[in-house]
Amino acid sequence: MSIPPSQYASAEARDRLAERRRVTAVLGPTNTGKTHLAIERMMGHETGMIGLPLRLLAREVYDRVVKVKGPRNVALITGEEKILPASARYFICTVEAMPLEREVDFLAVDEIQLAADRERGHTFTDRLLRARGHSETMMLGSETARGLIQKLLPETHFINRPRFSELSWTGSKKITRLPRRSAVVAFSADQVYAIAELIRRQRGGAAVVMGALSPRTRNAQVALYQSGEVDFLVATDAIGMGLNMDVDHVAFASTGKFDGRQHRPLQVSELAQIAGRAGRYMNDGTFGVTGDATIPSEETISRIENHQFEPDRVFQWRNPHLDFSSVAALMRSLEISPGRSGLAKAQVGDDLEALMRMVRDPDVSGCLRSPMAIKRLWEVAQVPDFRKTLASEHAALLTRLFLFLMDPSKENGGCIPDDWLGRQMQRLDRTDGDIDILAARLAHIRTWTYVANRADWLHNPTHWQERTRTIEDKLSDALHERLTQRFIDRRTSILMKRLRQNEELMTAVNGDGEVLVEGEYVGRLQGFVFVPDPRAEGEQGRILRNAASQALAGEISDRAQRLVTAPDADISLSEHGRILWDGHPVAELKGSGNILLPGVELIAGEELNGAARESVQTRLDAWLKMQIANVLAPLVALRDATDIEGLARGIAFRLVENLGTLTRETVSEDVRALDQAARGQLRKHGVRFGAYSIFMPALLKPAPARLRLTLWALHRATAEQEPFENLPAPPTPGLTSVPADQAAPEGFYEAVGFRVCGTRAVRIDMLERVADLIRPIIAARTYNGGFTVTPDMMSLVGCSGEEFSSLLRGLGYRSQIERVKPPKVGEPKAEEPKAEEPKPEMQAPGMVQETAEAGPQDEISAPATMAPERRSPAGEDAETPPDEASAVTSALAPEAYLPGEQPALAEMAPDSGNPEQAPTEDAPAEVEMEIWRPQRRRHGGGKEGGERNKSSRRDKRKQSGEPQSHGEKKPPRRGERGPRPQQKPDRKPREREPDPDSPFAALAVLKERVRGNGS
């Protein structure tokens, strides 16, 4: 109802009477025992009331008084929580919630200097001027309020209380260097979380205290700090308002804050209020800055240390006697100025802004027909915006509440509907989500907690008070759990606490290699290396390693003994050169001067030492030597062979150095110089002489290939380059060719038994099989000394089209489109001659028949102009045995020539007896086909090189007495037999001792027969 003018006078009279009652102002810095004094004085009276600045502090004082007076005699009254026993005699309240209509013997207000605060100050000023106890009234606060209190209440009795302990400046320190029992103060949730996370990683963890936390969450976090489970506290400036904890040092992470309108530096008095939390009771405290905080000036530091602050200039004031006769009258009463020196009219607060927004709503305006409705509107406007949303959104919620309260229908009855309120609660009754989500839900439930404590707004206020308290407690516990999980490493905290107390720690290593200290996981033993938990960093990691060392020593010694006696099958070698045992690396290989015997370097910490380390080293050295001997047995046998002599020994040495594979071009001269006996020595040890490679087929299997690649990589490594750095993936076992990686280092594909041909890398044994298919087609002259690509060729290497063409070009073949006569229908195609029973040395296991080769006396690799006498077509000598004919045909075909060393096609053509070879009526018509032919190799390159070779050949014929060609004789046309060169008179056949098991023994006999018939 509205207040008549006559009642204004009586209200003001009561206020003047209250002001005349004597007030005691107890002023001083922090840690002077002011709040403790007021509580003790209150409990000395029959009834009492105290107003505190924070809900958190009110709950703390309530719990303290309940322990002395019992719960039936103590009430807790805040905006969000009311515990109001019928027999209550002591009322613990927030300043805004103090029930001034109750008369008590003792009344106190804490932190009275907040009367100067722009947002809340008018409430503290009102309590200073109007709140009184019958017997005693105390105002507690800072010395900054002395002047204004003296001015407004001249009869005030002042008591100055000195600080119990000293407060001193210690400068700037990194967070990792802060002393134990420190509180780090920040001014935003994000900054608080970031600092707490850093402390968790470096120092084991921190408790978190913010004004937005519920009392339950705050008390649980403070309990972690007070119990010593954590040594650090990260908080907002909420700790500056009477939260008493055992803090030795306060570090400011920032010296400025956002006050709702702007970011400003903290005042000296504000800095002092927070810094004063350090050093409780008789213990001295220190303060400083950390991180990027600005260091205060020398003057500021001195004033904080000596408690010298600027006095407050004005207290904020709002008219307590409001006129509800109309909205306009209410607005005018709120705009009234104080009219007294030392007081200033308070700025527009959240409640006044919400009121102005609500009256703009037509539905709200339609309800404002009585002073009671206007007073109810003002009550609703004072609901705090705990959610910190937009002003418009907050006003919209308050409008909805007001319209519910003004609905006279039977269903609502002037109260908030239960079903609507229940839906709001249901959305918040969840404990999933992270810290920010839970904090937001807590802020929302605080709004409904405040509403639930307005008994005349609800049908069943007790039910909703219990419901909101239950949800708030659940959310508070969940938030505390999330804060603890994120910002406190309980394991490290326990360990550090035990170590400080010099207690012996229980350590063990379980079957999975997990290292446990006091039952907490601190790391894992992998092989002989202890790997600490990655969450343990800095000082925390050092402590964990020290704690685990006693358990590791015995376990590592036992593991060393088990490895020494372990069977070879339990040890393996990875593709990256690491020796594995029990699933973990215990050593890694290092390159050495001997490609087949790399060094072994243990992967172990200092815990493996002495005789145990030596025995493990000896065991792994022996295992590696045996592993190489088993997997690369043919290569090791070739290296150690005693039956290989002369030039063959040199080739064997080069094969060993190149891990069983040589490109034929690199050793062509040495190969031509080998006699059959020397070749037989190498074949006996599994060496195959192919058209393109000299290799050991047994080493192309997957296991030897993997080991060869590892040894090759180790051998190529340098101090600047790791062995397996930038290596492409090796070909998958079973593939005969793969796309060649152009970035692969030189020798990579050769190390795994492949050769790069054009754009593909082909397995060398498959390359030889392709050559085996090409040779008989060229020898049969089906396409005038060339050949066409067949499906069988492409299937061997798993590619076709341009890829196969690129492969052939990489081997030295060139193609062109020609008109040729394909074989007649029914005419047998030229096939590679086959022996009925290939001998063992002609065919390795799993390989095709080995390419036949001739010794130096066969002159297979002679220049093209010196090879016409090797035209010995099968069928020229009908008495030649089939196996000898096969050997001769294979030997005289260009199988042992490099592509550039092939004799001229005319020189290899069989004698047809008809130079013109006119087509018969049965011959098919010519068609265009892509014909491939070997490209002549020009020593020296280009035309000039070819001319030099011709000149060289003429000089040789001149020296040997051969007839010279001066132009009168033309070279034979295609299909004609050229003249046989005369044998040099001084040339004698080399003595040779052919391998009796070689097919070339039969070849030599057949050659002698051919020469005898020719003579």
Side-chain angles (χ1 to χ4, degrees):
M1 58 181 294
S2 63
I3 301 177
S6 60
Q7 293 191 14
Y8 274 119
S10 60
E12 291 176 357
R14 287 196 301 271
D15 291 348
R16 285 194 296 269
L17 178 62
E19 291 179 10
R20 283 197 298 271
R21 288 181 179 176
R22 188 173 181 180
V23 173
T24 299
V26 182
L27 306 179
T30 57
N31 192 26
T32 56
K34 299 185 297 293
T35 306
H36 174 76
L37 173 65
I39 294 172
E40 292 296 323
R41 294 291 298 172
M42 181 184 68
M43 290 191 294
H45 290 275
E46 285 295 322
T47 60
M49 181 185 300
I50 185 170
L52 299 157
L54 295 175
R55 182 189 177 198
L56 298 175
L57 186 56
R59 184 74 196 207
E60 181 180 295
V61 173
Y62 168 79
D63 293 338
R64 178 178 171 182
V65 176
V66 165
K67 289 180 181 178
V68 178
K69 297 296 183 178
R72 296 180 58 186
N73 296 316
V74 185
L76 174 65
I77 304 176
T78 70
E80 306 156 59
E81 188 175 13
K82 286 182 174 61
I83 302 175
L84 193 58
S87 59
R89 295 186 294 119
Y90 301 95
F91 299 87
I92 316 302
C93 318
T94 54
V95 174
E96 287 83 354
M98 293 176 70
L100 298 182
E101 69 277 4
R102 287 183 177 268
E103 294 187 357
V104 291
D105 295 333
F106 174 91
L107 186 142
V109 178
D110 197 10
E111 307 293 353
I112 195 62
Q113 76 277 0
L114 288 179
D117 183 74
R118 291 177 177 271
E119 294 182 1
R120 302 177 62 198
H122 65 85
T123 304
F124 284 81
T125 302
D126 180 74
R127 304 307 183 252
L128 173 67
L129 299 177
R130 300 177 59 237
R132 297 292 183 269
H134 280 294
S135 301
E136 185 177 4
T137 301
M138 293 182 72
M139 299 293 164
L140 318 173
S142 169
E143 275 288 335
T144 60
R146 175 188 286 268
L148 287 176
I149 295 175
Q150 180 73 52
K151 189 173 185 177
L152 296 171
L153 305 173
E155 301 299 323
T156 301
H157 174 62
F158 289 95
I159 297 176
N160 184 44
R161 293 181 66 91
R163 183 177 168 88
F164 292 143
S165 60
E166 296 293 328
L167 182 64
S168 56
W169 166 261
T170 59
S172 177
K173 293 182 180 180
K174 294 181 178 180
I175 288 180
T176 56
R177 299 288 185 179
L178 291 176
R180 294 178 53 245
R181 313 308 294 171
S182 289
V184 183
V185 181
F187 296 96
S188 71
D190 290 342
Q191 194 175 18
V192 167
Y193 294 159
I195 294 171
E197 180 68 28
L198 177 60
I199 293 177
R200 185 198 70 79
R201 294 198 305 267
Q202 299 291 339
R203 310 296 293 273
V208 173
V209 173
M210 297 185 294
L213 298 182
S214 66
R216 187 182 184 93
T217 304
R218 172 261 178 189
N219 290 340
Q221 287 288 302
V222 169
L224 293 174
Y225 176 81
Q226 290 293 87
S227 67
E229 186 168 339
V230 295
D231 288 328
F232 299 91
L233 180 73
V234 185
T236 61
D237 52 352
I239 69 167
M241 293 294 176
L243 295 182
N244 298 318
M245 292 169 286
D246 299 328
V247 176
D248 295 335
H249 178 79
V250 170
F252 289 91
S254 174
T255 56
K257 72 172 185 177
F258 183 74
D259 62 4
R261 293 190 305 274
Q262 61 181 350
H263 193 277
R264 62 172 179 82
L266 292 172
Q267 300 175 5
V268 177
S269 59
E270 293 174 317
L271 290 170
Q273 182 75 20
I274 298 170
R277 295 299 106 189
R280 303 311 299 165
Y281 195 49
M282 302 302 293
N283 298 319
D284 292 340
T286 58
F287 70 100
V289 296
T290 186
D292 299 328
T294 303
I295 297 177
S297 65
E298 291 291 337
E299 179 186 1
T300 299
I301 293 172
S302 176
R303 291 171 63 186
I304 294 174
E305 291 178 331
N306 297 299
H307 318 298
Q308 299 173 350
F309 315 118
E310 291 287 337
D312 295 327
R313 296 181 179 180
V314 293
F315 285 161
Q316 302 296 315
W317 179 87
R318 177 189 279 179
N319 179 20
H321 308 296
L322 302 180
D323 184 358
F324 297 108
S325 59
S326 67
V327 174
L330 175 61
M331 294 294 187
R332 285 194 302 270
S333 63
L334 287 170
E335 292 296 326
I336 293 176
S337 297
R340 296 178 63 177
S341 178
L343 299 179
K345 188 183 70 173
Q347 65 181 6
V348 176
D350 292 341
D351 51 3
L352 185 54
E353 183 176 357
L355 175 68
M356 291 186 294
R357 288 179 177 272
M358 292 168 67
V359 297
R360 296 173 193 162
D361 188 284
D363 295 332
V364 172
S365 300
C367 297
L368 301 177
R369 299 186 179 92
S370 67
M372 185 63 68
I374 296 173
K375 186 177 181 180
R376 177 57 58 89
L377 178 67
W378 177 242
E379 291 173 353
V380 173
Q382 290 181 295
V383 174
D385 183 14
F386 295 109
R387 301 175 300 165
K388 301 302 179 184
T389 58
L390 297 175
S392 58
E393 185 177 345
H394 181 59
L397 174 63
L398 299 186
T399 298
R400 187 76 178 270
L401 295 178
F402 175 74
L403 293 176
F404 281 140
L405 297 175
M406 299 306 296
D407 183 0
S409 64
K410 184 177 180 179
E411 293 79 9
N412 288 347
C415 294
I416 299 173
D418 288 348
D419 57 345
W420 182 85
L421 188 58
R423 290 195 296 273
Q424 312 307 312
M425 303 287 187
Q426 187 175 6
R427 286 199 291 264
L428 301 175
D429 193 7
R430 298 170 52 189
T431 58
D432 58 310
D434 58 15
I435 291 174
D436 292 333
I437 292 175
L438 291 173
R441 290 192 190 126
L442 264 174
H444 281 69
I445 199 63
R446 289 181 69 186
T447 299
W448 302 118
T449 302
Y450 185 94
V451 170
N453 280 277
R454 301 306 301 257
D456 56 339
W457 291 10
L458 303 168
H459 292 291
N460 188 356
T462 303
H463 165 74
W464 292 114
Q465 289 168 12
E466 293 177 356
R467 176 78 186 278
T468 55
R469 187 180 303 115
T470 300
I471 295 176
E472 182 176 332
D473 288 348
K474 288 172 60 178
L475 292 173
S476 298
D477 293 342
L479 180 58
H480 169 66
E481 181 182 352
R482 301 293 195 284
L483 290 170
T484 302
Q485 289 175 350
R486 179 171 174 182
F487 301 126
I488 298 177
D489 188 337
R490 288 185 176 274
R491 171 200 58 203
T492 306
S493 299
I494 293 173
L495 294 179
M496 295 176 73
K497 185 176 180 180
R498 295 282 181 88
L499 289 174
R500 286 196 302 269
Q501 298 171 352
N502 294 322
E503 296 182 10
E504 184 177 353
L505 300 176
M506 298 293 294
T507 59
V509 181
N510 64 20
D512 296 330
E514 295 179 339
V515 182
L516 306 176
V517 177
E518 293 291 330
E520 297 286 344
Y521 173 79
V522 298
R524 184 180 297 274
L525 189 60
Q526 297 181 351
F528 297 108
V529 176
F530 173 61
V531 181
D533 187 346
R535 296 174 296 173
E537 302 175 1
E539 182 70 11
Q540 177 185 1
R542 184 187 65 81
I543 293 175
L544 290 179
R545 286 188 291 273
N546 291 341
S549 61
Q550 38 187 303
L552 294 176
E555 175 65 19
I556 287 179
S557 178
D558 293 342
R559 288 193 174 196
Q561 183 60 34
R562 294 203 303 272
L563 173 58
V564 170
T565 58
D568 288 346
D570 291 350
I571 306 174
S572 61
L573 180 65
S574 75
E575 294 182 355
H576 290 84
R578 290 195 164 193
I579 298 178
L580 308 179
W581 173 67
D582 199 23
H584 299 293
V586 293
E588 60 181 347
L589 305 187
K590 298 292 183 180
S592 67
N594 186 345
I595 195 171
L596 289 182
L597 191 60
V600 177
E601 185 176 293
L602 297 184
I603 301 176
E606 297 178 354
E607 296 83 1
L608 181 63
N609 50 47
R613 191 181 190 97
E614 293 179 2
S615 61
V616 170
Q617 183 74 55
T618 302
R619 172 71 175 98
L620 295 180
D621 286 340
W623 177 87
L624 178 64
K625 186 176 181 179
M626 182 62 66
Q627 177 74 1
I628 293 175
N630 290 338
V631 178
L632 303 182
L635 193 63
V636 173
L638 182 66
R639 179 197 63 186
D640 300 336
T642 58
D643 57 345
I644 301 177
E645 300 174 348
L647 190 56
R649 165 55 61 186
I651 292 180
F653 176 80
R654 294 188 65 177
L655 277 170
V656 172
E657 286 295 303
N658 288 275
L659 297 170
T661 302
L662 287 173
T663 303
R664 182 150 183 162
E665 294 96 321
T666 61
V667 291
S668 58
E669 295 299 328
D670 293 340
V671 170
R672 280 196 293 269
L674 285 177
D675 58 19
Q676 291 300 322
R679 293 176 185 240
Q681 295 172 2
L682 293 172
R683 287 198 193 94
K684 188 168 64 176
H685 288 279
V687 178
R688 176 178 177 184
F689 293 85
Y692 306 109
S693 302
I694 313 298
F695 63 102
M696 306 181 76
L699 301 183
L700 300 180
K701 296 178 180 179
R706 284 195 301 269
L707 181 55
R708 289 170 58 202
L709 179 59
T710 300
L711 297 178
W712 172 83
L714 293 169
H715 195 64
R716 69 182 276 270
T718 63
E720 296 79 18
Q721 185 180 25
E722 291 295 324
F724 303 95
E725 183 180 1
N726 299 326
L727 289 186
T732 303
L735 294 181
T736 57
S737 74
V738 295
D741 189 335
Q742 302 303 318
E746 183 179 358
F748 169 77
Y749 285 108
E750 287 76 5
V752 291
F754 280 65
R755 172 170 173 161
V756 177
C757 300
T759 60
R760 296 190 71 81
V762 187
R763 208 170 72 198
I764 56 178
D765 60 332
M766 293 296 104
L767 208 57
E768 298 301 335
R769 292 183 64 178
V770 171
D772 291 343
L773 293 178
I774 292 174
R775 280 194 301 272
I777 299 176
I778 293 178
R781 298 201 52 77
T782 304
Y783 301 105
N784 297 328
F787 68 94
T788 59
V789 175
T790 65
D792 289 345
M793 298 177 189
M794 294 185 290
S795 65
L796 285 174
V797 295
C799 65
S800 61
E802 180 56 34
E803 287 185 331
F804 191 79
S805 298
S806 174
L807 184 154
L808 292 177
R809 284 192 290 269
L811 293 175
Y813 294 99
R814 293 296 179 266
S815 68
Q816 65 182 21
I817 303 299
E818 299 180 9
R819 295 189 65 82
V820 297
K821 300 181 183 65
K824 292 186 295 182
V825 178
E827 180 181 335
K829 296 183 180 180
E831 295 182 356
E832 183 177 9
K834 300 179 181 178
E836 293 181 1
E837 295 292 338
K839 295 185 178 180
E841 61 271 13
M842 294 178 62
Q843 184 171 342
M847 304 297 296
V848 299
Q849 181 176 331
E850 178 178 326
T851 303
E853 318 132 76
Q857 71 276 13
D858 301 316
E859 298 180 356
I860 292 298
S861 296
T865 54
M866 299 180 62
E869 72 275 16
R870 280 181 292 279
R871 298 192 307 272
S872 301
E876 186 173 307
D877 186 352
E879 298 179 359
T880 303
D883 57 340
E884 293 187 4
S886 173
V888 172
T889 305
S890 180
L892 296 185
E895 45 81 25
Y897 292 88
L898 299 174
E901 296 177 329
Q902 294 283 9
L905 297 176
E907 297 170 352
M908 296 186 62
D911 187 2
S912 63
N914 183 3
E916 299 299 330
Q917 291 186 343
T920 63
E921 294 181 358
D922 297 333
E926 292 183 346
V927 295
E928 287 188 352
M929 301 182 69
E930 184 180 27
I931 307 299
W932 291 85
R933 290 188 175 84
Q935 184 182 23
R936 287 180 177 272
R937 182 169 61 186
R938 298 179 181 273
H939 298 281
K943 181 178 179 180
E944 294 181 1
E947 293 299 328
R948 284 195 298 268
N949 284 335
K950 292 179 182 179
S951 175
S952 175
R953 288 193 292 271
R954 285 196 299 268
D955 293 342
K956 289 182 180 180
R957 287 196 296 270
K958 184 176 180 180
Q959 294 173 4
S960 61
E962 296 180 15
Q964 304 297 309
S965 174
H966 299 287
E968 69 280 3
K969 292 184 179 180
K970 297 181 181 179
R973 290 180 297 177
R974 185 181 300 273
E976 293 183 352
R977 183 189 298 272
R980 293 180 181 272
Q982 297 181 6
Q983 186 175 1
K984 299 179 182 179
D986 55 346
R987 181 174 179 179
K988 297 181 180 179
R990 289 173 53 185
E991 295 295 332
R992 56 192 177 93
E993 298 178 1
D995 183 359
D997 294 329
S998 171
F1000 300 106
L1003 173 63
V1005 174
L1006 184 58
K1007 293 278 290 181
E1008 290 299 327
R1009 293 180 181 177
V1010 171
R1011 289 178 180 173
N1013 294 337
S1015 61

